[in-house]
Amino acid sequence: MSRVLWLVRHGERRDEVDPSWAEDADRPHDPPLTERGRWQAERVGERLRGQGVEAIYASPFVRATETAHLVARALDRPVFVDHGLSEHLNPAWFDVAPSVLTPRKLAERFDTVDPTHDSVLRPNYPETDTEATERTVRAVRRLLGDSPETSLFVGHGLTVASVVAAFTGRRETPTPLAGVTRLASYPWGWDVDILADTSHLSGPESTDDAVGDDVDG
């Protein structure tokens, strides 16, 4: 085993528990985490301590960057925000291209974000399922080309499912909120050795997480 790739879906998003949040939001398609979502992200950070994560990449959507930020604080690593890891820009979910913050603006909000990172790809609106999947995988492969041996990617259900499918051929991949998946490279190729693990979310704060493979996430 020479390389390790961790994949994490963001924690619980604000508009899922408070649908009225979007009514007055500047960016109604870009909700932050709930208090429980932040707790989930902190537990992911605890889960990944000691795992040798050297680089953390995140989608520019706030729920993903905030999750990555809370993990990064636990691991003492910076976060590199890359638009190539964006949510699926599905016209069924977004009536216009969603507005997201730049890395510099995100860095003002989350001090672990490196504002100097240049995205390797930028999505085009609208995207088909295939276009979103291919774009995500291309971005991850490009980022891996310059990354250390152990990297973490924090994004959406799309991020986890598409990368697992492209790297391993596995087509059915659960993507629970704040779930942890690990891929490792072996002489015969990439394989999954941890899949959608949520054991770190057990405890008094936890409830069952939705899988959510086919929903905006």
Side-chain angles (χ1 to χ4, degrees):
M1 183 173 69
S2 59
R3 303 207 67 178
V4 173
L5 167 58
W6 293 90
L7 299 165
V8 171
R9 186 181 178 189
H10 61 79
E12 184 181 75
R13 47 190 282 180
R14 175 78 177 273
D15 59 344
E16 288 295 321
V17 299
D18 179 15
S20 66
W21 172 86
E23 295 175 3
D24 299 315
D26 292 336
R27 298 182 319 284
H29 296 310
D30 193 20
L33 298 178
T34 62
E35 181 177 351
R36 181 167 180 269
R38 290 188 289 274
W39 174 83
Q40 291 171 329
E42 289 171 349
R43 294 301 296 268
V44 172
E46 294 173 9
R47 168 70 177 80
L48 295 181
R49 277 199 182 109
Q51 297 299 323
V53 173
E54 299 172 84
I56 302 174
Y57 302 97
S59 158
F61 283 76
V62 167
R63 58 190 179 273
T65 301
E66 186 174 9
T67 300
H69 163 69
L70 292 168
V71 174
R73 289 204 311 191
L75 304 184
D76 192 24
R77 293 288 184 267
V79 174
F80 304 105
V81 174
D82 201 288
H83 285 259
L85 305 177
S86 290
E87 175 61 286
H88 178 189
L89 302 190
N90 186 342
W93 300 341
F94 305 113
D95 49 1
V96 296
S99 174
V100 294
L101 297 174
T102 65
R104 292 189 181 278
K105 287 293 185 182
L106 287 166
E108 293 173 4
R109 185 167 176 175
F110 306 115
D111 61 9
T112 60
V113 171
D114 182 339
T116 67
H117 175 74
D118 292 325
S119 294
V120 296
L121 284 176
R122 290 182 179 271
N124 296 313
Y125 174 85
E127 291 180 307
T128 65
D129 291 351
T130 298
E131 289 169 340
T133 295
E134 291 178 349
R135 177 261 300 167
T136 301
V137 173
R138 286 200 311 272
V140 169
R141 290 192 187 280
R142 290 186 187 182
L143 290 166
L144 282 176
D146 294 323
S147 70
E149 288 189 354
T150 302
S151 303
L152 166 65
F153 291 80
V154 181
H156 310 272
L158 167 71
T159 316
V160 179
S162 62
V163 172
V164 170
F167 279 55
T168 72
R170 184 187 181 104
R171 296 300 172 183
E172 298 296 329
T173 300
T175 61
L177 297 175
V180 169
T181 292
R182 188 175 86 161
L183 306 182
S185 65
Y186 296 91
W188 59 86
W190 289 88
D191 205 351
V192 179
D193 53 16
I194 298 174
L195 180 64
D197 178 29
T198 57
S199 61
H200 51 286
L201 302 179
S202 61
E205 296 287 332
S206 66
T207 61
D208 291 338
D209 284 313
V211 170
D213 287 326
D214 301 317
V215 298
D216 180 11

